[in-house]
Short mmCIF file of all heavy atoms in Angstrom, two decimals:
data_model
loop_
_atom_site.label_atom_id
_atom_site.label_comp_id
_atom_site.label_asym_id
_atom_site.label_seq_id
_atom_site.Cartn_x
_atom_site.Cartn_y
_atom_site.Cartn_z
N LEU A 138 -21.05 -1.81 14.98
CA LEU A 138 -22.15 -2.18 14.14
C LEU A 138 -21.66 -2.61 12.72
O LEU A 138 -22.20 -3.63 12.09
CB LEU A 138 -23.13 -1.06 14.09
CG LEU A 138 -24.52 -1.26 13.65
CD1 LEU A 138 -25.15 -2.60 14.27
CD2 LEU A 138 -25.43 -0.03 14.19
N PRO A 455 -30.66 0.15 23.12
CA PRO A 455 -31.76 0.99 23.03
C PRO A 455 -32.36 0.96 21.62
O PRO A 455 -31.60 0.72 20.65
CB PRO A 455 -31.21 2.41 23.32
CG PRO A 455 -29.76 2.20 23.26
CD PRO A 455 -29.38 0.90 23.23
N ASN A 456 -33.62 1.07 21.48
CA ASN A 456 -34.29 1.21 20.13
C ASN A 456 -34.59 2.56 19.76
O ASN A 456 -35.01 3.42 20.68
CB ASN A 456 -35.55 0.48 20.14
CG ASN A 456 -35.33 -1.02 20.10
OD1 ASN A 456 -34.48 -1.40 19.33
ND2 ASN A 456 -36.14 -1.73 20.78
N PHE A 457 -34.42 3.02 18.54
CA PHE A 457 -34.72 4.40 18.14
C PHE A 457 -35.72 4.49 17.06
O PHE A 457 -35.71 3.58 16.16
CB PHE A 457 -33.42 5.17 17.74
CG PHE A 457 -32.32 5.17 18.77
CD1 PHE A 457 -31.16 4.43 18.60
CD2 PHE A 457 -32.45 5.85 19.93
CE1 PHE A 457 -30.18 4.45 19.56
CE2 PHE A 457 -31.52 5.83 20.90
CZ PHE A 457 -30.37 5.14 20.79
N PRO A 458 -36.69 5.44 17.15
CA PRO A 458 -37.70 5.56 16.06
C PRO A 458 -37.13 5.98 14.69
O PRO A 458 -36.11 6.60 14.74
CB PRO A 458 -38.73 6.49 16.65
CG PRO A 458 -37.86 7.44 17.47
CD PRO A 458 -36.75 6.44 18.08
N PRO A 459 -37.92 5.79 13.57
CA PRO A 459 -37.44 6.36 12.28
C PRO A 459 -37.25 7.85 12.41
O PRO A 459 -37.88 8.45 13.26
CB PRO A 459 -38.51 5.96 11.41
CG PRO A 459 -39.33 4.85 12.03
CD PRO A 459 -39.07 5.01 13.49
N MET A 460 -36.54 8.41 11.49
CA MET A 460 -36.23 9.88 11.56
C MET A 460 -37.46 10.76 11.13
O MET A 460 -38.29 10.45 10.40
CB MET A 460 -35.18 10.21 10.62
CG MET A 460 -34.18 11.15 11.09
SD MET A 460 -32.96 11.53 9.85
CE MET A 460 -33.78 12.79 9.08
N ALA A 461 -37.57 11.83 11.82
CA ALA A 461 -38.60 12.89 11.58
C ALA A 461 -38.28 13.68 10.34
O ALA A 461 -37.03 13.79 10.05
CB ALA A 461 -38.80 13.71 12.82
N ASP A 462 -39.27 14.36 9.82
CA ASP A 462 -38.94 15.29 8.60
C ASP A 462 -38.46 16.57 9.03
O ASP A 462 -37.86 17.36 8.19
CB ASP A 462 -40.27 15.48 7.79
CG ASP A 462 -40.68 14.25 7.08
OD1 ASP A 462 -39.83 13.29 6.91
OD2 ASP A 462 -41.83 14.15 6.69
N LYS A 542 -26.80 10.36 20.91
CA LYS A 542 -28.03 10.04 20.38
C LYS A 542 -29.12 9.63 21.55
O LYS A 542 -30.36 10.08 21.61
CB LYS A 542 -28.01 8.79 19.50
CG LYS A 542 -29.19 8.11 18.97
CD LYS A 542 -29.88 8.92 17.99
CE LYS A 542 -31.19 8.28 17.57
NZ LYS A 542 -31.81 9.06 16.39
N LEU A 562 -22.11 8.01 13.41
CA LEU A 562 -23.25 8.87 13.69
C LEU A 562 -24.44 8.37 12.72
O LEU A 562 -25.63 8.25 13.21
CB LEU A 562 -22.89 10.35 13.27
CG LEU A 562 -22.09 11.10 14.27
CD1 LEU A 562 -21.55 12.42 13.70
CD2 LEU A 562 -22.70 11.35 15.61
N VAL A 563 -24.13 8.11 11.54
CA VAL A 563 -25.15 7.59 10.64
C VAL A 563 -25.78 6.29 11.19
O VAL A 563 -26.98 5.99 11.22
CB VAL A 563 -24.63 7.40 9.16
CG1 VAL A 563 -25.62 6.68 8.31
CG2 VAL A 563 -24.26 8.69 8.55
N ASN A 564 -24.89 5.36 11.65
CA ASN A 564 -25.36 4.06 12.06
C ASN A 564 -26.37 4.16 13.26
O ASN A 564 -27.09 3.23 13.45
CB ASN A 564 -24.20 3.22 12.48
CG ASN A 564 -23.39 2.68 11.21
OD1 ASN A 564 -23.96 2.68 10.11
ND2 ASN A 564 -22.22 2.03 11.42
N PHE A 565 -26.19 5.27 13.98
CA PHE A 565 -27.22 5.46 15.07
C PHE A 565 -28.26 6.57 14.87
O PHE A 565 -28.83 7.04 15.84
CB PHE A 565 -26.37 5.59 16.44
CG PHE A 565 -25.75 4.34 16.73
CD1 PHE A 565 -24.33 4.09 16.49
CD2 PHE A 565 -26.37 3.29 17.25
CE1 PHE A 565 -23.71 3.08 16.77
CE2 PHE A 565 -25.75 2.06 17.50
CZ PHE A 565 -24.43 1.98 17.30
N GLY A 566 -28.36 6.95 13.59
CA GLY A 566 -29.48 7.89 13.27
C GLY A 566 -29.25 9.27 13.63
O GLY A 566 -30.21 10.02 13.78
N VAL A 567 -28.00 9.74 13.80
CA VAL A 567 -27.76 11.14 14.06
C VAL A 567 -27.28 11.82 12.78
O VAL A 567 -26.41 11.29 12.01
CB VAL A 567 -26.62 11.42 15.16
CG1 VAL A 567 -26.36 12.87 15.46
CG2 VAL A 567 -26.97 10.58 16.42
N VAL A 568 -27.91 12.89 12.34
CA VAL A 568 -27.63 13.49 11.02
C VAL A 568 -26.42 14.25 11.12
O VAL A 568 -26.19 15.16 11.78
CB VAL A 568 -28.80 14.38 10.53
CG1 VAL A 568 -28.63 14.89 9.22
CG2 VAL A 568 -30.23 13.68 10.70
N VAL A 591 -35.61 18.26 6.95
CA VAL A 591 -34.69 17.21 6.47
C VAL A 591 -35.53 16.28 5.58
O VAL A 591 -35.10 15.10 5.33
CB VAL A 591 -33.90 16.41 7.58
CG1 VAL A 591 -32.77 17.31 8.14
CG2 VAL A 591 -34.83 16.03 8.68
N GLY A 593 -36.96 14.08 2.93
CA GLY A 593 -36.41 13.57 1.66
C GLY A 593 -34.83 13.51 1.73
O GLY A 593 -34.19 13.08 0.94
N LEU A 594 -34.25 13.86 2.92
CA LEU A 594 -32.81 13.88 3.06
C LEU A 594 -32.07 14.36 1.89
O LEU A 594 -31.21 13.70 1.33
CB LEU A 594 -32.34 12.57 3.60
CG LEU A 594 -32.81 12.11 4.99
CD1 LEU A 594 -32.27 10.78 5.29
CD2 LEU A 594 -32.27 13.13 6.01
N LEU A 615 -24.12 12.29 1.72
CA LEU A 615 -24.28 10.87 2.10
C LEU A 615 -24.71 10.13 0.87
O LEU A 615 -25.39 10.76 -0.06
CB LEU A 615 -25.17 10.65 3.27
CG LEU A 615 -24.85 11.29 4.57
CD1 LEU A 615 -26.00 10.86 5.67
CD2 LEU A 615 -23.49 10.74 5.18
N SER A 616 -24.41 8.86 0.86
CA SER A 616 -24.83 7.98 -0.22
C SER A 616 -26.38 7.58 0.10
O SER A 616 -26.88 7.80 1.11
CB SER A 616 -24.06 6.65 -0.24
OG SER A 616 -24.34 5.85 0.87
N GLU A 617 -27.05 7.02 -0.95
CA GLU A 617 -28.45 6.66 -0.69
C GLU A 617 -28.45 5.55 0.27
O GLU A 617 -29.48 5.51 1.01
CB GLU A 617 -29.00 6.05 -2.13
CG GLU A 617 -29.39 7.14 -3.14
CD GLU A 617 -30.24 8.26 -2.42
OE1 GLU A 617 -31.18 7.92 -1.75
OE2 GLU A 617 -30.01 9.41 -2.68
N ARG A 618 -27.47 4.68 0.35
CA ARG A 618 -27.56 3.64 1.30
C ARG A 618 -27.47 4.24 2.79
O ARG A 618 -28.16 3.81 3.70
CB ARG A 618 -26.29 2.73 1.06
CG ARG A 618 -26.30 1.40 1.86
CD ARG A 618 -24.98 0.64 1.73
NE ARG A 618 -23.88 1.61 1.81
CZ ARG A 618 -23.43 2.04 3.04
NH1 ARG A 618 -23.98 1.58 4.22
NH2 ARG A 618 -22.43 2.92 3.15
N GLU A 619 -26.66 5.26 2.90
CA GLU A 619 -26.43 5.91 4.24
C GLU A 619 -27.74 6.62 4.52
O GLU A 619 -28.28 6.53 5.73
CB GLU A 619 -25.27 6.83 4.25
CG GLU A 619 -23.95 6.08 4.23
CD GLU A 619 -22.74 7.06 3.88
OE1 GLU A 619 -22.79 7.89 2.99
OE2 GLU A 619 -21.75 6.76 4.71
N LYS A 620 -28.34 7.26 3.61
CA LYS A 620 -29.62 7.95 3.92
C LYS A 620 -30.72 7.03 4.30
O LYS A 620 -31.53 7.35 5.09
CB LYS A 620 -30.07 8.70 2.54
CG LYS A 620 -29.23 9.99 2.37
CD LYS A 620 -29.78 10.69 1.08
CE LYS A 620 -28.70 11.79 0.79
NZ LYS A 620 -29.06 12.42 -0.58
N SER A 621 -30.73 5.87 3.74
CA SER A 621 -31.86 4.92 4.15
C SER A 621 -31.64 4.45 5.56
O SER A 621 -32.53 4.11 6.27
CB SER A 621 -31.91 3.73 3.19
OG SER A 621 -30.67 3.00 3.10
N ILE A 622 -30.36 4.36 5.95
CA ILE A 622 -30.09 4.03 7.37
C ILE A 622 -30.56 5.13 8.27
O ILE A 622 -31.33 4.89 9.26
CB ILE A 622 -28.54 3.80 7.51
CG1 ILE A 622 -28.07 2.61 6.86
CG2 ILE A 622 -28.18 3.69 9.04
CD1 ILE A 622 -26.59 2.34 6.83
N LEU A 623 -30.31 6.35 7.86
CA LEU A 623 -30.85 7.45 8.72
C LEU A 623 -32.30 7.47 8.78
O LEU A 623 -32.85 7.63 9.92
CB LEU A 623 -30.38 8.79 8.06
CG LEU A 623 -28.99 9.43 8.34
CD1 LEU A 623 -28.88 10.75 7.68
CD2 LEU A 623 -28.75 9.55 9.98
N ARG A 624 -32.95 7.28 7.74
CA ARG A 624 -34.45 7.25 7.61
C ARG A 624 -35.00 6.31 8.69
O ARG A 624 -35.95 6.51 9.33
CB ARG A 624 -34.91 6.90 6.24
CG ARG A 624 -35.21 8.19 5.48
CD ARG A 624 -35.81 7.82 4.11
NE ARG A 624 -35.32 8.76 3.17
CZ ARG A 624 -34.47 8.50 2.18
NH1 ARG A 624 -34.03 7.24 2.00
NH2 ARG A 624 -34.00 9.42 1.39
N ALA A 625 -34.48 5.07 8.65
CA ALA A 625 -34.96 3.94 9.46
C ALA A 625 -34.65 4.16 10.96
O ALA A 625 -35.19 3.63 11.72
CB ALA A 625 -34.25 2.67 9.04
N GLY A 626 -33.75 5.19 11.23
CA GLY A 626 -33.48 5.38 12.68
C GLY A 626 -32.20 4.66 13.06
O GLY A 626 -31.98 4.48 14.21
N GLY A 627 -31.47 4.24 12.10
CA GLY A 627 -30.10 3.69 12.48
C GLY A 627 -29.92 2.34 11.70
O GLY A 627 -30.95 1.81 11.13
N LYS A 628 -28.71 1.86 11.69
CA LYS A 628 -28.49 0.66 10.94
C LYS A 628 -29.10 -0.62 11.34
O LYS A 628 -29.48 -1.50 10.53
CB LYS A 628 -26.86 0.49 11.00
CG LYS A 628 -26.37 -0.53 10.06
CD LYS A 628 -24.93 -0.51 9.73
CE LYS A 628 -24.38 -1.65 8.92
NZ LYS A 628 -23.21 -1.21 8.06
N LEU A 629 -29.25 -0.78 12.72
CA LEU A 629 -29.75 -2.01 13.30
C LEU A 629 -31.31 -2.04 12.78
O LEU A 629 -31.76 -3.11 12.26
CB LEU A 629 -29.67 -1.96 14.73
CG LEU A 629 -29.55 -3.31 15.39
CD1 LEU A 629 -28.61 -4.32 14.70
CD2 LEU A 629 -29.21 -3.23 16.87
N ALA A 630 -31.96 -0.90 12.90
CA ALA A 630 -33.38 -0.75 12.51
C ALA A 630 -33.41 -0.98 10.99
O ALA A 630 -34.32 -1.75 10.53
CB ALA A 630 -33.90 0.57 12.78
N ALA A 631 -32.46 -0.51 10.19
CA ALA A 631 -32.44 -0.70 8.72
C ALA A 631 -32.30 -2.22 8.38
O ALA A 631 -33.05 -2.85 7.53
CB ALA A 631 -31.46 0.15 8.06
N ILE A 632 -31.43 -2.91 9.20
CA ILE A 632 -31.16 -4.29 8.80
C ILE A 632 -32.36 -5.13 9.17
O ILE A 632 -32.92 -6.02 8.35
CB ILE A 632 -29.96 -4.81 9.54
CG1 ILE A 632 -28.73 -4.19 9.00
CG2 ILE A 632 -29.90 -6.28 9.54
CD1 ILE A 632 -27.41 -4.50 9.79
N LYS A 633 -33.10 -4.82 10.41
CA LYS A 633 -34.19 -5.52 10.78
C LYS A 633 -35.38 -5.20 9.76
O LYS A 633 -36.08 -6.32 9.42
CB LYS A 633 -34.72 -5.11 12.09
CG LYS A 633 -33.73 -5.66 13.27
CD LYS A 633 -34.39 -5.29 14.60
CE LYS A 633 -33.43 -5.87 15.68
NZ LYS A 633 -33.68 -5.12 16.98
N ALA A 634 -35.62 -4.01 9.33
CA ALA A 634 -36.58 -3.75 8.38
C ALA A 634 -36.35 -4.56 7.08
O ALA A 634 -37.33 -5.18 6.49
CB ALA A 634 -36.58 -2.27 8.08
N LYS A 635 -35.07 -4.68 6.61
CA LYS A 635 -34.78 -5.53 5.41
C LYS A 635 -35.12 -6.98 5.64
O LYS A 635 -35.65 -7.63 4.79
CB LYS A 635 -33.29 -5.33 5.13
CG LYS A 635 -32.93 -5.37 3.70
CD LYS A 635 -31.55 -4.90 3.45
CE LYS A 635 -30.54 -5.99 3.06
NZ LYS A 635 -29.19 -5.56 3.02
N GLN A 636 -34.87 -7.44 6.86
CA GLN A 636 -35.18 -8.92 7.24
C GLN A 636 -36.63 -9.11 7.17
O GLN A 636 -37.05 -10.16 6.64
CB GLN A 636 -34.57 -9.26 8.50
CG GLN A 636 -33.05 -9.57 8.50
CD GLN A 636 -32.46 -9.51 9.87
OE1 GLN A 636 -33.13 -9.24 10.85
NE2 GLN A 636 -31.32 -9.98 9.95
N THR A 637 -37.50 -8.25 7.69
CA THR A 637 -38.95 -8.49 7.71
C THR A 637 -39.44 -8.45 6.27
O THR A 637 -40.61 -9.12 6.10
CB THR A 637 -39.63 -7.56 8.64
OG1 THR A 637 -39.13 -6.28 8.48
CG2 THR A 637 -39.57 -7.82 10.13
N LYS A 638 -38.89 -7.69 5.42
CA LYS A 638 -39.39 -7.52 4.06
C LYS A 638 -39.21 -8.88 3.31
O LYS A 638 -39.96 -9.20 2.43
CB LYS A 638 -38.68 -6.40 3.28
CG LYS A 638 -39.48 -5.17 3.25
CD LYS A 638 -38.92 -4.21 2.17
CE LYS A 638 -39.04 -2.86 2.65
NZ LYS A 638 -38.09 -1.85 2.04
#
Side-chain angles (χ1 to χ4, degrees):
L138 200 38
N456 282 320
F457 302 114
M460 217 183 92
D462 288 342
K542 171 76 182 184
L562 288 172
V563 172
N564 282 350
F565 291 101
V567 181
V568 186
V591 288
L594 290 176
L615 297 179
S616 66
E617 281 312 313
R618 192 189 46 79
E619 289 167 315
K620 287 181 187 173
S621 64
I622 293 176
L623 274 186
R624 266 185 216 110
K628 185 160 177 153
L629 212 47
I632 292 177
K633 282 187 187 158
K635 212 163 109 190
Q636 280 166 350
T637 44
K638 262 197 212 151

